[in-house]
Amino acid sequence: MNSEPPVPETSVLAVASHVGKQIVHSHTSRSHPRTWLLLTDYLHSNVGNKIAVFVLQSLGCDVAALNTVQFSNHTGYRQWKGTKVTAQEITDLWDGLKQSYLNRFDMMLSGYVPGAAAVEAVGNIAKELKEKSQAKPGSFFWVLDPVMGDNGKLYVADDVVPAYRGLVHLADLILPNQFEAELLSEVKITDFASLRAAVETLHSRYNLPHIVITSVSLPLTAEQASPESRPPAHTMSVVGSTRTSTGKSRLFSITFPVFEAYFSGTGDMFAALMVVRMREAVASSSLKDKASWLSDDDVDALDLPLAKAAEKVLASMHEVLSRTCEAMQAELDRELAGEPAQEEGLNEEERAKTVHLLKSRAAELRLARNWGCLRGPVIEYRAVKLE
Amino acid sequence: MNSEPPVPETSVLAVASHVGKQIVHSHTSRSHPRTWLLLTDYLHSNVGNKIAVFVLQSLGCDVAALNTVQFSNHTGYRQWKGTKVTAQEITDLWDGLKQSYLNRFDMMLSGYVPGAAAVEAVGNIAKELKEKSQAKPGSFFWVLDPVMGDNGKLYVADDVVPAYRGLVHLADLILPNQFEAELLSEVKITDFASLRAAVETLHSRYNLPHIVITSVSLPLTAEQASPESRPPAHTMSVVGSTRTSTGKSRLFSITFPVFEAYFSGTGDMFAALMVVRMREAVASSSLKDKASWLSDDDVDALDLPLAKAAEKVLASMHEVLSRTCEAMQAELDRELAGEPAQEEGLNEEERAKTVHLLKSRAAELRLARNWGCLRGPVIEYRAVKLE
């Protein structure tokens, strides 16, 4: 395998949480308050910005990480809590970088940001970087994962939604899941027609250059829609589009098998890989000197750099998740037969929690040992044009 | 290049500072207090545990990072300061890991730890892991960089020295520089005889299995000592030894060229690489099942896993530093001709500081783009037996 990085020198500002969605999955451990798990997650888990930073660095990017969930350092960690960075703190951190001339970024990746004001502060950083890049089109590119919720449920405050609506026009590529795409477009996605309408609304209302919806579970092609050839139950699709100069969509989808287990950090891995592969896809062409790396109108959906990038990203995702599944199963077989799960003196609830802890640990993404999957994945799932 | 990691599955607890020695090099930036630079270093620089974690992960280790310098999160970052984790906090963090069954480590790497009590807390973690491994010899290995000072100057409080003297017997491999080796052995190193005496004292007084002194600038071999073939001015050596069963040394040295520039984080890179290469050197032999991976007495200095590991480590170091030097020079040429260095209205002192900031940034280790140097370096500098 070639050890040359897939991208030219690329400086990325990564703004996200270290703990991210894992918070949602935390729970009380025997005789310890809930905060312990957050703490150990922080130390131990591959979630949030930790995953994004590792993926970006592994693929050759120089990364400055601005973590949006920080930790108080009270003398007694028993009172320890994850605390959210305020908007003012984000702005101050940014001013600090500027003051030391550390504010030159080719790309920015933003993920979970706590609260509407903090979202706006991140938007202001993007705005400043975008303005600075005006003189040199294509020299700055913002990949925004507008983390708001999933499966019809918000997991942020209500006012975060209008905050994203107010700044999403600054992004070059957004990575909403189906629910977040609905929130931004205000179009409910129930079939292919409404999916297209949602994407076109995002293109036109926000002038958004590139969109990838990361989890679509509709039958998308005529073949899929016919009763005899429905996609198997355990598949999902990403749907992407790069707008034309007149704001029309160029839609493609990539369908891939879904794993039964829940892995945290997959969204962050996806986003970081998109940053790298998008940069790679335009690096050797003249597109890199065009604002937002927008392909000419005569480029077909399947020839879009976005489609090429997404194929590689999903290939890496699938390989890492396959290997994580295997390793997880082996670890669980070992652990559940082992001492902690069988520990004496646990009542039923405590035992269930111990098993859950062991399962959480076993389900951590296996990134460090599967660098090859990040760097040189084999593309198995190809983009299909949607029309 | 093979993308398989050089080591089998390896879980490492990395205890060190994120900012490390960089603190020493901080300085006031125009119109901003000193704390800014610390802040931006934290966000941006490849120092301390950030480097160690990246190197360990890149080479296939699963890493839990316990950072010994944390940051207060006052609402106003203008009052922000790096604060040191207390001994109690380290102990609490460790208890948290245990509580979640996240305390199974094959290796531990510890670097800069603030204060004597915190050093002792880290020693207690090592002691516990070591005791747990008694039933399975070789299943835990502690690499300790006893960070205390350099070039005759302490940069920790005086009581850190006896703290290290009190726990260094728990370590499997220590990585002192020449000054730190003197502090621990209480032998002043001025020539080859005193170097040997220092190493043998470390072996015998602390029962230390493996020692690598990371910066020795003496003529070490008879050839080097003769006037006509002194080593060129810009070389340095590491000196290593694995003790025999009777506590005798088996000394080797590796001499390598020194770069003129100052790079921060080199000690952390060295230590992390030693962890990986030491593990690799014993992984496929029966040594891995012996306490402290101690070679039999008939193994020659040059055949020690320690010597093999150190050769690979220095090869990686040299390649990364060479590439960093090239990239640094290119960046400096660009920057010093550019806008910030020429900014209007700076007085002489301010301009000097700006140039210093730009130089600091340019001197950051180029790790992300030189993964191949970490993974598959070409060995140029070979170990030589010292007798």
Side-chain angles (χ1 to χ4, degrees):
Chain A
M1 182 174 301
N2 189 340
S3 77
E4 282 303 301
V7 288
E9 292 216 2
T10 304
S11 177
V12 181
L13 178 63
V15 188
S17 139
H18 247 293
V19 291
K21 298 174 188 176
Q22 187 89 350
I23 289 175
V24 177
H25 297 269
S26 70
H27 46 258
T28 311
S29 140
R30 181 163 64 111
S31 77
H32 273 268
R34 179 171 178 283
T35 48
W36 273 119
L37 189 63
L38 291 181
L39 177 63
T40 53
D41 282 346
Y42 173 60
L43 285 166
H44 201 271
S45 291
N46 278 330
V47 282
N49 230 10
K50 188 178 159 193
I51 286 190
V53 169
F54 179 68
V55 169
L56 290 166
Q57 286 184 328
S58 291
L59 296 173
C61 298
D62 182 32
V63 187
L66 202 166
N67 296 320
T68 56
V69 176
Q70 304 267 356
F71 298 88
S72 69
N73 48 356
H74 302 144
T75 323
Y77 265 87
R78 309 243 167 211
Q79 278 75 52
W80 180 92
K81 273 196 194 181
T83 58
K84 295 172 177 181
V85 164
T86 65
Q88 186 59 47
E89 284 164 342
I90 291 173
T91 304
D92 283 352
L93 284 162
W94 174 243
D95 287 344
L97 285 174
K98 280 199 287 193
Q99 196 60 37
S100 295
Y101 308 111
L102 295 172
N103 61 330
R104 300 178 210 169
F105 295 103
D106 303 304
M107 301 183 76
M108 171 163 147
L109 168 62
S110 64
Y112 172 63
V113 176
V119 166
E120 279 157 17
V122 171
N124 287 335
I125 296 175
K127 195 170 171 191
E128 211 176 307
L129 286 167
K130 197 161 184 174
E131 274 165 12
K132 226 176 64 175
S133 76
Q134 295 299 319
K136 212 183 150 198
S139 63
F140 174 70
F141 193 98
W142 180 20
V143 177
L144 164 64
D145 182 358
V147 179
M148 293 184 282
D150 204 1
N151 297 316
K153 269 196 196 136
L154 271 188
Y155 36 64
V156 294
D158 288 346
D159 61 352
V160 169
V161 181
Y164 273 117
R165 286 188 191 136
L167 58 78
V168 74
H169 66 280
L170 294 164
D172 298 290
L173 163 60
I174 64 168
L175 308 173
N177 57 33
Q178 185 171 330
F179 178 56
E180 290 158 347
E182 291 174 346
L183 288 170
L184 292 174
S185 66
E186 298 175 87
V187 175
K188 176 88 186 146
I189 299 172
T190 55
D191 54 17
F192 177 56
S194 53
L195 174 69
R196 177 194 293 276
V199 170
E200 300 213 323
T201 302
L202 291 172
H203 280 319
S204 58
R205 185 186 297 171
Y206 303 109
N207 202 30
L208 265 170
H210 309 277
I211 298 160
V212 173
I213 305 180
T214 57
S215 60
V216 176
S217 48
L218 302 170
L220 289 172
T221 61
E223 284 157 45
Q224 289 174 351
S226 76
E228 61 278 9
S229 61
R230 274 181 184 282
H234 303 304
T235 64
M236 210 175 232
S237 304
V238 302
V239 171
S241 170
T242 294
R243 71 166 165 77
T244 64
S245 60
T246 57
K248 290 266 165 288
S249 64
R250 281 178 275 197
L251 283 165
F252 63 88
S253 76
I254 307 174
T255 299
F256 53 93
V258 168
F259 292 92
E260 289 296 299
Y262 171 81
F263 304 106
S264 62
T266 50
D268 300 290
M269 176 167 58
F270 183 89
L273 286 168
M274 278 303 305
V275 165
V276 172
R277 296 304 178 185
M278 200 55 200
R279 171 89 163 172
E280 176 191 43
V282 304
S284 56
S285 79
S286 60
L287 263 190
K288 71 175 187 303
D289 302 318
K290 292 183 68 172
S292 297
W293 307 343
L294 263 176
S295 299
D296 289 340
D297 288 356
D298 59 356
V299 175
D300 188 72
L302 297 185
D303 296 324
L304 292 171
L306 188 68
K308 303 285 174 208
E311 282 179 341
K312 276 201 185 170
V313 167
L314 286 171
S316 285
M317 297 286 297
H318 187 72
E319 290 186 15
V320 169
L321 292 178
S322 299
R323 304 228 184 161
T324 298
C325 271
E326 284 166 31
M328 178 181 74
Q329 203 46 59
E331 183 172 331
L332 276 181
D333 290 348
R334 206 167 53 236
E335 290 294 353
L336 296 182
E339 164 243 326
Q342 307 299 329
E343 210 175 314
E344 302 271 317
L346 296 185
N347 65 32
E348 202 161 324
E349 193 194 352
E350 287 167 344
R351 192 178 308 277
K353 279 173 187 162
T354 300
V355 168
H356 184 90
L357 273 173
L358 293 172
K359 283 190 177 169
S360 300
R361 193 187 61 181
E364 286 203 10
L365 293 179
R366 301 307 197 274
L367 283 173
R369 300 201 59 77
N370 294 305
W371 184 89
C373 307
L374 297 179
R375 199 85 169 223
V378 178
I379 295 172
E380 244 185 289
Y381 309 101
R382 293 277 172 191
V384 173
K385 195 168 172 173
L386 295 179
E387 346 183 54
Chain B
M1 182 173 304
N2 189 340
S3 76
E4 281 305 301
V7 288
E9 293 216 0
T10 304
S11 176
V12 182
L13 178 62
V15 188
S17 139
H18 247 295
V19 290
K21 299 175 187 174
Q22 187 88 352
I23 287 174
V24 178
H25 297 270
S26 69
H27 46 259
T28 312
S29 140
R30 182 163 64 111
S31 76
H32 274 268
R34 180 173 177 281
T35 48
W36 274 119
L37 189 63
L38 292 181
L39 177 64
T40 53
D41 281 346
Y42 174 61
L43 285 165
H44 200 271
S45 289
N46 279 330
V47 282
N49 230 9
K50 187 178 160 194
I51 285 189
V53 169
F54 179 66
V55 168
L56 290 166
Q57 287 184 328
S58 292
L59 296 172
C61 299
D62 182 32
V63 187
L66 203 166
N67 295 320
T68 56
V69 175
Q70 303 268 355
F71 297 87
S72 69
N73 48 357
H74 302 143
T75 325
Y77 265 88
R78 309 242 168 212
Q79 278 77 52
W80 179 94
K81 271 196 195 182
T83 60
K84 294 172 179 182
V85 164
T86 65
Q88 186 59 48
E89 284 164 341
I90 290 173
T91 304
D92 284 352
L93 285 163
W94 175 242
D95 287 343
L97 285 174
K98 279 199 288 195
Q99 196 60 38
S100 295
Y101 308 108
L102 295 172
N103 61 331
R104 301 180 209 163
F105 294 103
D106 303 303
M107 301 183 75
M108 171 163 147
L109 169 62
S110 64
Y112 172 64
V113 176
V119 165
E120 279 156 17
V122 172
N124 288 335
I125 296 175
K127 196 172 172 188
E128 212 176 305
L129 286 167
K130 197 161 186 174
E131 275 165 11
K132 224 176 66 175
S133 76
Q134 294 300 318
K136 212 181 152 200
S139 64
F140 175 69
F141 192 98
W142 179 18
V143 177
L144 164 63
D145 183 358
V147 179
M148 295 185 281
D150 204 1
N151 296 315
K153 270 196 197 138
L154 271 187
Y155 38 62
V156 294
D158 288 345
D159 62 352
V160 169
V161 180
Y164 272 118
R165 285 189 191 136
L167 58 78
V168 74
H169 66 280
L170 295 165
D172 298 289
L173 164 60
I174 63 166
L175 307 173
N177 57 33
Q178 183 170 331
F179 177 57
E180 290 158 347
E182 291 175 345
L183 288 170
L184 292 174
S185 65
E186 299 176 87
V187 174
K188 176 87 187 148
I189 300 172
T190 55
D191 53 18
F192 177 58
S194 54
L195 173 69
R196 176 194 292 277
V199 170
E200 300 214 323
T201 302
L202 292 172
H203 279 320
S204 57
R205 183 185 299 171
Y206 303 109
N207 202 31
L208 265 169
H210 309 276
I211 298 159
V212 173
I213 304 180
T214 57
S215 60
V216 175
S217 47
L218 301 169
L220 290 172
T221 61
E223 284 157 46
Q224 287 174 351
S226 76
E228 60 278 11
S229 61
R230 277 181 180 282
H234 303 305
T235 65
M236 211 174 229
S237 304
V238 302
V239 170
S241 169
T242 294
R243 71 166 164 76
T244 64
S245 61
T246 57
K248 290 268 166 285
S249 63
R250 281 177 274 197
L251 283 166
F252 64 86
S253 75
I254 308 173
T255 299
F256 53 93
V258 169
F259 292 92
E260 289 296 298
Y262 172 82
F263 304 107
S264 61
T266 51
D268 300 289
M269 175 166 60
F270 184 89
L273 287 167
M274 277 304 304
V275 165
V276 172
R277 296 303 178 186
M278 200 54 200
R279 171 90 163 171
E280 176 190 44
V282 304
S284 56
S285 79
S286 61
L287 263 190
K288 71 176 187 303
D289 303 317
K290 293 184 66 173
S292 297
W293 306 343
L294 263 177
S295 299
D296 289 340
D297 288 357
D298 59 355
V299 175
D300 188 72
L302 296 185
D303 296 324
L304 292 170
L306 189 68
K308 303 286 175 209
E311 282 180 342
K312 276 201 185 168
V313 168
L314 286 171
S316 285
M317 296 287 296
H318 187 73
E319 290 186 15
V320 169
L321 292 179
S322 298
R323 303 225 186 163
T324 299
C325 271
E326 283 165 32
M328 177 180 75
Q329 202 47 59
E331 182 171 331
L332 277 182
D333 290 348
R334 207 168 51 236
E335 290 295 355
L336 296 182
E339 165 242 325
Q342 307 299 329
E343 210 175 314
E344 302 273 316
L346 297 184
N347 65 32
E348 203 162 322
E349 194 194 352
E350 287 167 344
R351 191 176 309 275
K353 280 172 186 160
T354 300
V355 167
H356 184 91
L357 274 172
L358 294 172
K359 282 189 177 170
S360 300
R361 192 187 63 183
E364 287 202 9
L365 293 179
R366 300 309 196 272
L367 283 173
R369 302 202 57 78
N370 295 304
W371 183 89
C373 307
L374 297 178
R375 199 85 169 223
V378 178
I379 295 174
E380 244 186 289
Y381 308 101
R382 294 276 172 192
V384 173
K385 195 168 171 174
L386 294 181
E387 354 183 49

